[in-house]
Amino acid sequence: MKDFAGKIAVITGGGTGMGRELARQLVAEGCNVAMCDVSAEAMAETKRLCEVEKLPQGLRITTHVADVSIEDHYKRFRDELIEQQATDKIHLLFNNAGIGGGGSLFTNTREQWERTFNICWGGVYLGVRTFLPLLVKADEAHIVNTSSVNGFWASVGLGVSHTAYSAAKFAVKGFTEAMINDLRLNAPHVKCSVVMPGHIGTSIVSNSRKVQNGADQLNVDELKQVRQRLQGQGIDVAKMSDADIQQLALDRARIFHDEAPTTAAAAAKIILDGVKADRWRILVGDDAHLLDERVRKTPEQAYTPEFYQDLVAATGWKVG
């Protein structure tokens, strides 16, 4: 697929981050966009940003409230799209929605763990299941599933568990790779790509708290976990109040967004260029390329303290 003009794209998680930037760049190329998110307000802002420049006549941008872990929401999204976009087919599916959380089997609840897994993996699976018939009806189509560097390296550092997100992203990577031949055998005009971003400047940290807790605040268990993590890093937390810990969490979310080596806009361009080049494997960010190289070179060392320390020195990562 060499250009997107006149095509119809579905984007999950279109309210913020890479989803928002994918929408903006696709619209700028003359592509119709149907996006979903759990936040109507965030999608309204994405749509406003898309419409800042005068849209080509007839171009359609539609927004649909949906939780991608719930199949009935997906079905409603599909039915609304068919009606509002006046179509029985789509050309592009970006399974982009994701959250963090539920990192530990020990210190997080089962509900937190499965919430993360069901959005990050289940949302991709249900997205493909729901929209595949519409993709097959198009003359050419492309599925883009967002995994992560955590789809080949299940860690963000020694001081924090990261099981739910990593397990989900490994599943997305394996699923997409398996789809390559499944599509070749059964729908050769439909292609697929797995996207593996490194540290991208998005609001996933704060958005994840909103989805998991209903507010951009740590709950009681998370406060305890942060205290333990800080203490493990040699920081004296005895005199720190809960308000101090909350502020540290807010600062971390800001730093994750503002000081990332790759912006969401740059990430979206890399993804779209990868689709145009028909690449099935799209690494996003210099840190993603570096980490991929190092894990492949020394897989047995990938979870040692030395590996992580060398990685931080090479990339400047401020996570974990």
Side-chain angles (χ1 to χ4, degrees), residues 5-6 27 30-32 53-61:
V27 167
C31 185
N32 300 287
E53 301 295 334
K54 188 176 181 181
L55 299 179
Q57 186 174 6
L59 196 68
R60 295 180 295 276
I61 306 170

Side-chain angles (χ1 to χ4, degrees), residues 59-129:
L59 196 68
R60 295 180 295 276
I61 306 170
T62 57
T63 61
H64 311 264
V65 176
D67 179 332
V68 297
S69 68
I70 301 174
E71 187 169 11
D72 284 347
H73 285 206
Y74 254 129
K75 290 178 178 178
R76 186 183 69 235
F77 175 23
R78 177 201 60 203
D79 293 345
E80 290 175 356
L81 176 151
I82 289 170
E83 179 182 358
Q84 296 177 27
Q85 295 274 349
T87 187
D88 64 348
K89 58 181 173 288
I90 64 170
H91 305 86
L92 293 154
L93 172 62
F94 294 89
N95 285 309
N96 163 79
I99 63 167
S104 175
L105 288 168
F106 297 89
T107 59
N108 290 110
T109 65
R110 178 170 179 168
E111 289 74 20
Q112 289 174 320
W113 203 99
E114 293 185 357
R115 182 78 172 127
T116 298
F117 188 83
N118 290 341
I119 289 174
C120 292
W121 155 243
V124 172
Y125 169 69
L126 291 175
V128 172
R129 276 288 188 194

Side-chain angles (χ1 to χ4, degrees), residues 190-206:
V190 181
K191 310 298 182 183
C192 66
S193 299
V194 59
V195 175
M196 291 173 286
H199 180 188
I200 310 300
T202 71
S203 300
I204 189 172
V205 175
S206 57

Side-chain angles (χ1 to χ4, degrees), residues 116-254:
T116 298
F117 188 83
N118 290 341
I119 289 174
C120 292
W121 155 243
V124 172
Y125 169 69
L126 291 175
V128 172
R129 276 288 188 194
T130 302
F131 287 106
L132 189 58
L134 278 69
L135 290 158
V136 171
K137 286 184 178 180
D139 55 352
E140 61 175 347
H142 205 115
I143 300 166
V144 184
N145 295 332
T146 299
S147 178
S148 167
V149 292
N150 291 132
F152 60 80
W153 186 65
S155 176
V156 288
L158 302 175
V160 55
S161 300
H162 201 49
T163 63
Y165 187 85
S166 296
K169 295 303 186 179
F170 265 77
V172 171
K173 178 176 179 288
F175 174 63
T176 311
E177 292 190 23
M179 281 177 55
I180 293 171
N181 202 50
D182 201 3
L183 291 169
R184 182 183 292 136
L185 292 170
N186 296 290
H189 63 297
V190 181
K191 310 298 182 183
C192 66
S193 299
V194 59
V195 175
M196 291 173 286
H199 180 188
I200 310 300
T202 71
S203 300
I204 189 172
V205 175
S206 57
N207 286 346
S208 297
R209 280 194 211 109
K210 291 174 184 176
V211 171
Q212 293 277 16
N213 303 336
D216 191 13
Q217 296 288 317
L218 301 175
N219 62 31
V220 173
D221 289 338
E222 289 168 335
L223 283 167
K224 182 179 179 181
Q225 291 164 30
V226 172
R227 284 184 180 277
Q228 290 174 339
R229 188 188 311 167
L230 293 172
Q231 194 167 11
Q233 294 172 353
I235 298 172
D236 183 6
V237 297
K239 296 181 180 180
M240 296 178 68
S241 67
D242 285 352
D244 293 332
I245 301 294
Q246 293 281 8
Q247 188 57 53
L248 277 177
L250 291 172
D251 289 344
R252 176 176 175 266
R254 178 191 57 78

Side-chain angles (χ1 to χ4, degrees), residues 10-30:
V10 167
I11 304 170
T12 69
T16 59
M18 291 194 300
R20 171 176 288 177
E21 295 303 327
L22 284 168
R24 295 180 68 183
Q25 294 181 32
L26 285 165
V27 167
E29 294 196 32

